[in-house]
Amino acid sequence: MKLTIAILITVLVTTCNPKNRDASASVQQFIYQATTRGSSYSCDLTENEMIITSEGRETFKKSVNVETYQWQELISSIKDVSFQGISQLKVPSSDRHSDRARIATLTIITQKKTYRSTDFDEGNPPRDLVPLINRILALTQTVD
């Protein structure tokens, strides 16, 4: 009987994790943005498409297809991230306050809710977001 209860509790705890219960499966869109006075950069990713926009001295806009494996890599890179907590993540630097870095943000849109990260310095995101942002930026490097 004790063994049955222990197994039941283990199953409930592992399957009912409120952190991201099926949230990563319901992600519809990632938006990475970096802005400062006079320039902005945006990467808007859905399961099928990536739109990159850069504005400043020159304007650039390009749309490319996202492969299934690329989307799955993005999803797997956030499996341990609490979407509810990304707005309170500790940022490692504050160069954006003095215009030494663009102000960057990450937005995760699911079927039910939109989650926006705290502002951080471009190139120096909160530790929990590093894997996802690195994958997003790696994808953008494949665009001509």
Side-chain angles (χ1 to χ4, degrees):
M1 183 68 163
K2 289 181 182 179
L3 180 61
T4 305
I5 293 172
I7 291 171
L8 181 61
I9 291 172
T10 302
V11 169
L12 287 174
V13 167
T14 57
T15 59
C16 296
N17 179 2
K19 188 175 184 181
N20 275 346
R21 185 181 344 167
D22 296 324
S24 62
S26 69
V27 171
Q28 295 182 326
Q29 187 174 10
F30 296 106
I31 302 170
Y32 173 78
Q33 296 176 311
T35 59
T36 191
R37 288 184 277 175
S39 72
S40 67
Y41 176 84
S42 175
C43 178
D44 188 336
L45 282 142
T46 64
E47 189 170 357
N48 301 312
E49 181 182 39
M50 173 172 58
I51 300 170
I52 300 169
T53 307
S54 180
E55 296 177 352
R57 289 184 181 187
E58 295 180 16
T59 298
F60 173 85
K61 186 170 186 172
K62 180 87 176 197
S63 174
V64 295
N65 291 332
V66 173
E67 302 293 331
T68 302
Y69 79 91
Q70 294 170 320
W71 183 256
Q72 292 305 320
E73 287 177 348
L74 293 169
I75 296 298
S76 70
S77 68
I78 58 162
K79 66 180 183 210
D80 295 327
V81 176
S82 168
F83 294 173
Q84 294 83 5
I86 67 170
S87 64
Q88 273 108 42
L89 290 174
K90 184 177 179 189
V91 294
S93 59
S94 60
D95 289 342
R96 66 197 174 282
H97 296 299
S98 60
D99 282 344
R100 290 187 284 170
R102 290 196 282 193
I103 302 166
T105 58
L106 175 71
T107 304
I108 300 172
I109 300 172
T110 66
Q111 292 172 345
K112 296 182 179 181
K113 193 169 181 183
T114 298
Y115 304 92
R116 186 178 181 279
S117 73
T118 186
D119 293 344
F120 56 90
D121 293 346
E122 180 182 31
N124 200 10
R127 183 174 33 117
D128 291 350
L129 299 180
V130 168
L132 175 60
I133 291 173
N134 284 347
R135 287 187 192 266
I136 289 172
L137 294 176
L139 277 175
T140 66
Q141 297 301 313
T142 64
V143 177
D144 297 340

